[in-house]
């Protein structure tokens, strides 16, 4: 891993006041930040963030996600 990373967190009751756990596997480990997930109009999950985390060099990046066994990962 290098620099700023992104991980997924889950609430045990699907609410903000639940007990939170963080996935051990990072969603993004290549120096990117301020990540957001969204669903496209055609039902795909996407991950948006800026990378690299270097002033004047960052740019938006979009990755399609897979959802399997309750976890998201970047689609290969």
């Amino acid at each position: 891993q290098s620099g700023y990373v992104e991980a997924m967190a889950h609430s045990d009751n699907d609410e903000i006041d639940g007990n939170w756990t963080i996935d051990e596997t990072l969603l993004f480990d290549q120096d990117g930040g301020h990540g957001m997930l969204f669903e496209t109009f055609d039902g795909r999950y996407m991950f948006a963030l800026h990378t690299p985390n270097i002033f004047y060099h960052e740019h938006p990046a979009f990755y399609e996600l897979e959802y399997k066994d309750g976890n998201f990962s970047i689609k290969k």
Side-chain angles (χ1 to χ4, degrees), residues 1-37:
Q1 82 191 32
S2 173
Y4 200 93
V5 300
E6 298 282 337
M8 293 293 297
H10 305 269
S11 168
D12 64 353
N13 66 358
D14 293 328
E15 299 291 336
I16 193 76
D17 64 352
N19 296 308
W20 289 84
T21 56
I22 299 173
D23 289 350
E24 290 185 28
T25 302
L26 296 172
L27 184 58
F28 190 84
D29 65 357
Q30 300 170 26
D31 197 26
H34 297 106
M36 292 178 271
L37 297 172

Side-chain angles (χ1 to χ4, degrees), residues 52-65:
N53 201 27
I54 301 169
F55 201 56
Y56 293 121
H57 294 275
E58 66 264 300
H59 59 273
F62 297 87
Y63 297 93
E64 187 170 357
L65 298 177

